[in-house]
Each structure stands twice: as structure tokens, then as C-alpha cells.
Amino acid sequence: MKNKLIIRIQQIQLLFKIYLGKCISVFFRYRKEKPIWLVLERGNDARDNGFALFEYLNNQRINQDIDIIYIISKKSTDYSKVKSIGKVVEYGSIKHYVLLNYADIIASTHFLTYIPKYYMLKRLIDNNMIKYKAKTIFLQHGIIKDYLPQLFYPNIKFNLFICGAKPEYEYVIKEFNHPDGVVQYTGLPRFDKLHNFTTKKEILLMPTWRMYLDEVNEKEFINSEYYRRYQAILDNESIINYLKQNNYTLVFYPHYEIQKFIHLFKSNDPVIKIASFNNYDVQTLLKESSLLITDYSSVYFDFAYMNKPVIYYQFDSEDFIEGHYKKGYFNYETMGFGKVTYSEHELIQTIENILKSNCKLEEIYEIRIKEFFHINDKRNCERVYNLIKEL
């Protein structure tokens, strides 16, 4: 009963801010001298396609003709970085709610995050009781590979749906039912930054999250197979010794949704680094690392885009498909950009084999990468901008 009351109070507070923003926009007309474009990611970060596009628009001086504003919390570790590039408004502030009513374009990596805590008001949003005139651009967080009905039309409506690869584009066109012209293959904006990089003797271990761990407490998390499996890698003496022999370090950087438990993972050896969201940038890690180990995280697309080797560690593949995301078009065995491993022993052997080859990408995976990414250049932001401009 108490939880329901708290949720109801939070819903009322959100509605108050939304309608206060509407009232202010009606009675105190904003002096709008040029079009307004709002760009954001989750509201507390700037490390993805939103930031890449924002940086491009400012660097190309497009902000002289368009009022380009990045929406981000002042508490974010990325806030000062964004502010040094262009105009910023605090996420969840009254000004944010006011600007939603004036915006011509809202470009975000995560759908509906431009409304803070939108999930609490989703029924009202679905029934068009809360709506804005802005055209919405779905920049995406990562290349789609799974069956995601929440992104089907009319479950969600975009004016532009950006895709980063040809098979993904074909899958979304075929299955997601968006109107003609909405889904476009441009490449992801952040891919522009994946062409100039210097690698280190570093292995990046970056698993994704699990829906069944969303609501668990610390004790339940420690008892989960997910925790046990990854802590076992961090403790594995064979891996640690092999890293030392070859002068490599291993960086463990789990998904954003798992970062709340990052303090529970331990290692006493300096060749193992436990990386927190606040202290490490994922783009930098991807560019600097020589080898990526992941399970199902779409970051392997970014890594493959740079023609670097990937290992998939999928100890819970059946449970993942059953309890997390349903399988889409991507087959890891026939389309994947690296070997699929299912046990810790198999993973260790594969790591050793790749390090022996100085992390050289095998020819079979080079071919798969070329077939997957028909576009591989530095013009992804430019293509996205041109499409938005056409709207």
C-alpha cells in the first residue's frame, strides 16, 4: 500500500511538471529565433550516438542555424564534457519540460527518455494524453539483433528510425512494421569515431545485463549464476598467469544496468581491472582494447566494425533467450564475428589461441564483417543530419 502511494505521488509530481511546462510555453511565449533540436541519451550520460551527433552538429557549425541543445543531468560525470561543446539544459528541469513544447526535433538513443520516468506515465503517453509536436528520431543505443516488439509500430512511433547495418535494416523493415521511409540505413553516429584508434595490450570483458536481475538485492545477486561465472573469470589463475606472461591486462566493464553491483566484483591482482561507469568511457575502452569478450552485448558490433577479434561467452544461452530477449535474425554460430564458447575452459583456450596470433582477426570473420557492414566510413553523422533536415 505504501509503495503504491509513493508511486502515485511521483506520478502526480511528473504530471505537474509536464503541465507546468505546457502552461509556461502557452502564457510566456519563448522567443524562438530558429528551429530547436533536443538531443539526449538516457538523461544522465553522453557517450553514445546522441553525443556523437551533438558533437558533429556543433563542430560543423550547424548550431548557427539551429538551436541545438543537449539534455543531461548536472550530476552526470559527462556534464562538463557536453557543456564545453555546446548548449546544455538540465535533464528534468522546468526548462527541459518547457523546451519539449517548443522543440522541432527530439533525437534520442533510448525511446521516450526525453520524458523523465516516462514508464510511470506510459498509459497516458500511449493514449496521446501526453504528446509533443516535435518529430522524434530514434538514434539507437546499439545495432538491433533480437526480436523487440516494444519497438514495433504502433507500439512506438518514430519519424526516423536509424539503423547501423544492412541485415539489421532489412530485419527492421520486414518485422517492425514502421511506415515507409521511417527506417533508414545510415550507420550509427558513433561509428564515425571508430576509424582512428591505437590499441593496447588489453582485453575487454564486457557482458550485458539480465532482466531477471533487475529487482534483486545484493545477496541475491551474489548468489546468481551471472555473478558466480564472471567472478570466476576474475579469479581464474590460468587467465591471470597468461595475462602476465603476455603483458596484457583484462578490464571488466559490465553493462550499465549491472554497474550498481560493480563493487561486489573483486580482484587483488593488478592485471585485472574492475571498471566503473563513472571512471571509464566505453568508447575509449572499445578503441583501445585488442580483444573483446562478451556474451550478447551489441558492443561486439562496434568492435567488429574496427576489425578486431571477438569471443562470445554464452554459458546461459537457453536461459537468456527464454528470459531476456527472444532471438531475432542474428545467428552467433553462422554470422558471429568470433568463436562462441559455452564453458570457462573453452573460453580460456580461445583467449590463449587469439593472443598467440597477436590478436589477428581470422579471415572467416573478416568476410562476415564486410558482408554485415555495407557502409564503413566517417559520414554516419552527416547522413543522419541530412535525413533529419529533410523532415
Side-chain angles (χ1 to χ4, degrees), residues 188-195 377-382:
L188 300 184
R190 68 172 186 253
F191 285 177
D192 283 352
K193 298 184 177 186
L194 299 182
H195 292 268
D377 60 24
K378 297 180 182 179
R379 299 180 60 195
N380 301 287
C381 285
E382 179 186 336

Side-chain angles (χ1 to χ4, degrees), residues 8-26:
R8 180 62 65 189
I9 291 170
Q10 289 175 335
Q11 287 174 328
I12 292 170
Q13 288 173 336
L14 284 171
L15 282 170
F16 174 76
K17 288 183 178 180
I18 287 169
Y19 285 107
L20 178 61
K22 286 186 180 294
C23 289
I24 292 173
S25 67
V26 170

